[in-house]
Amino acid sequence: MLGLHAVLLGFSPASSQTLTVYHVNPLHEGVLPIDMDTADLHGDMFFDLKSKTTPIERSSQFNGTRGGDCTNGEVVDTDLVISKLSIDVFGGFGEYGRCNICMEDGIDPFSGLKCTPGQYFCTCGNFRAPYACNDQRAVGREELSSAFGNFTICTWDVWVKAPWACWGWPVVRLTGGTWYSTTRAGWCDAPGADPATCTWRARVEKIVNKSCSDDIIYSAVEAYDAERDGCFARCPSHQRGQARNTSATCWIYCFYATVLGERTLVPGEHSDGMPLPELEAAFERPFLSEALGGCPSIPPPKSPVTQVPAHRSITRSWAQRRAAMIKRWYGEANSLRLPM
Ligand SMILES: *[C@@H]1O[C@H](CO)[C@@H](O)[C@H](O)[C@H]1NC(C)=O
Ligand SMILES: *[C@@H]1O[C@H](CO)[C@@H](O)[C@H](O)[C@H]1NC(C)=O
Ligand SMILES: *[C@@H]1O[C@H](CO)[C@@H](O)[C@H](O)[C@H]1NC(C)=O
Ligand SMILES: *[C@@H]1O[C@H](CO)[C@@H](O)[C@H](O)[C@H]1NC(C)=O
């Protein structure tokens, strides 16, 4: 009923709605999501929680072969910020565009299609048959439970070889969530934009350092565990607070065991983990005022209208890693989904 209502409203040009979205980005690229992807709170939680196994995937033990996203990962993170934005959306939603920065070789790391180096490039369509869609004006939308939700998450054959491959997918069942794509073609604040046909406008609510946000989220998960199982404290070379090693396999295991429930990491089983409202609160806390436990606010970079991605290696390695990660998720979801 609600969905039908939204569709009907979508065809009226006067209709608008305001979304609260989040995205992770290097600060120097700017924080307005021009030809970029953003997520609602649950979609942001999925992206973040699903990717904690990355250090294991990248370790030499596994050859770093899964997805090939092992380029310069460690140097990436100091410039990363998380932005909380309000987006006014005019008109209906369109297809979701997977937007990635085009590499120096002129190839989009997600789709393999040709693109202009250094520019953000968005692709729509089936994962196996993508096409460029930067010219789509409508704000794109992807429901994560339909994109990633319905398949056999983990088999015993996978589990005996790589148990960690079973830890990330249950996150989507916990969070669901929505991802959005917003193009320059639909941006109402672009120079010369047509107010009659433009589709979105964004306001920055707050920008925080990703390492500050990570610390708040990790501390909440560790505190929840400390009152119950004490998993983190039992890890070899356990370190408290910011000294924690989030690449340590034991820390990663305890993180998923706490968030999802220990039995959820075993094929075909389930136990309850951290309650969703507590996780939501942890993900929202960085954006509260500092007096309420939030992170310091980072000023937005100058002149968003002329915002162009900088040609710096730090940009490329974060973008490359993100694109490879998401590509692998779509690939796995495609190969695992039962035939209709
Ligand atoms: C690791 O890499 C080597 C050399 O490229 C290859 O022969 C081997 O099969 C790989 N092992 C795994 C587990 O992917
Ligand atoms: C974020 O915090 C880290 C660690 O405190 C610091 O090295 C980095 O420069 C900060 N990044 C930004 C964009 O402020
Ligand atoms: C996924 O599974 C749920 C529960 O079985 C079902 O209600 C839903 O329609 C399914 N979604 C898709 C896209 O198949
Ligand atoms: C963190 O853990 C990883 C994986 O076990 C290890 O290679 C690395 O040396 C550890 N880092 C520190 C600072 O202990």
Side-chain angles (χ1 to χ4, degrees):
M1 197 59 210
L2 245 172
L4 181 61
H5 204 65
V7 170
L8 291 176
L9 281 173
F11 286 105
S12 145
S15 76
S16 84
Q17 57 182 297
T18 301
L19 313 171
T20 298
V21 301
Y22 301 80
H23 75 148
V24 183
N25 221 41
L27 181 62
H28 69 265
E29 274 181 16
V31 296
L32 291 182
I34 302 164
D35 293 325
M36 289 186 201
D37 298 331
T38 55
D40 69 0
L41 182 67
H42 284 175
D44 177 52
M45 290 167 67
F46 169 69
F47 179 79
D48 190 68
L49 296 173
K50 168 85 173 78
S51 53
K52 298 300 171 208
T53 52
T54 306
I56 303 177
E57 288 162 37
R58 292 152 51 88
S59 69
S60 52
Q61 198 182 345
F62 292 100
N63 261 10
T65 46
R66 289 171 60 95
D69 53 348
C70 301
T71 37
N72 304 328
E74 270 51 66
V75 300
V76 169
D77 293 344
T78 58
D79 190 38
L80 289 183
V81 295
I82 306 181
S83 313
K84 178 179 181 177
L85 310 167
S86 292
I87 300 189
D88 296 325
V89 177
F90 308 105
F93 290 100
E95 202 185 331
Y96 177 69
R98 289 143 320 205
C99 303
N100 294 289
I101 196 162
C102 183
M103 296 297 137
E104 255 163 17
D105 58 5
I107 301 288
D108 169 36
F110 184 87
S111 64
L113 296 175
K114 284 210 177 98
C115 52
T116 309
Q119 303 214 338
Y120 272 88
F121 183 72
C122 306
T123 57
C124 294
N126 188 294
F127 170 72
R128 295 187 203 288
Y131 60 90
C133 59
N134 282 65
D135 58 354
Q136 173 180 301
R137 273 202 288 265
V139 173
R141 181 170 63 175
E142 175 105 295
E143 296 300 340
L144 300 184
S145 51
S146 31
F148 298 118
N150 278 10
F151 43 81
T152 309
I153 292 204
C154 190
T155 63
W156 286 106
D157 291 337
V158 171
W159 189 82
V160 291
K161 285 189 220 116
W164 50 270
C166 299
W167 301 347
W169 280 119
V171 171
V172 72
R173 293 206 174 151
L174 176 70
T175 61
T178 310
W179 287 349
Y180 299 97
S181 57
T182 40
T183 60
R184 184 178 289 274
W187 187 31
C188 294
D189 291 328
D194 179 352
T197 58
C198 71
T199 60
W200 67 277
R201 168 175 286 139
R203 283 184 307 283
V204 175
E205 300 291 343
K206 187 172 177 181
I207 304 169
V208 301
N209 192 323
K210 183 161 191 304
S211 57
C212 176
S213 172
D214 284 346
D215 185 46
I216 287 175
I217 294 161
Y218 299 160
S219 297
V221 173
E222 289 162 351
Y224 185 85
D225 166 69
E227 286 174 13
R228 291 163 182 82
D229 188 42
C231 185
F232 290 101
R234 291 196 303 274
C235 285
S237 66
H238 167 64
Q239 300 268 3
R240 289 172 181 281
Q242 304 233 28
R244 69 174 69 79
N245 184 354
T246 60
S247 297
T249 308
C250 184
W251 187 91
I252 296 170
Y253 169 79
C254 290
F255 186 85
Y256 283 103
T258 307
V259 167
L260 298 170
E262 201 178 354
R263 301 305 300 171
T264 307
L265 309 188
V266 177
E269 302 205 17
H270 177 85
S271 57
D272 287 335
M274 210 168 149
L276 187 58
E278 288 197 34
L279 280 169
E280 289 167 341
F283 275 81
E284 283 178 315
R285 195 166 306 134
F287 299 96
L288 300 177
S289 68
E290 283 184 78
L292 292 174
C295 292
S297 174
I298 293 177
K302 295 245 170 353
S303 70
V305 172
T306 55
Q307 167 180 319
V308 284
H311 290 253
R312 282 170 43 182
S313 57
I314 196 165
T315 303
R316 287 198 302 277
S317 56
W318 159 249
Q320 226 159 347
R321 194 172 72 169
R322 180 185 176 280
M325 201 156 74
I326 297 206
K327 180 177 184 173
R328 191 174 64 244
W329 296 354
Y330 274 100
E332 285 182 22
N334 260 273
S335 61
L336 290 168
R337 186 173 289 113
L338 301 170
M340 302 295 277

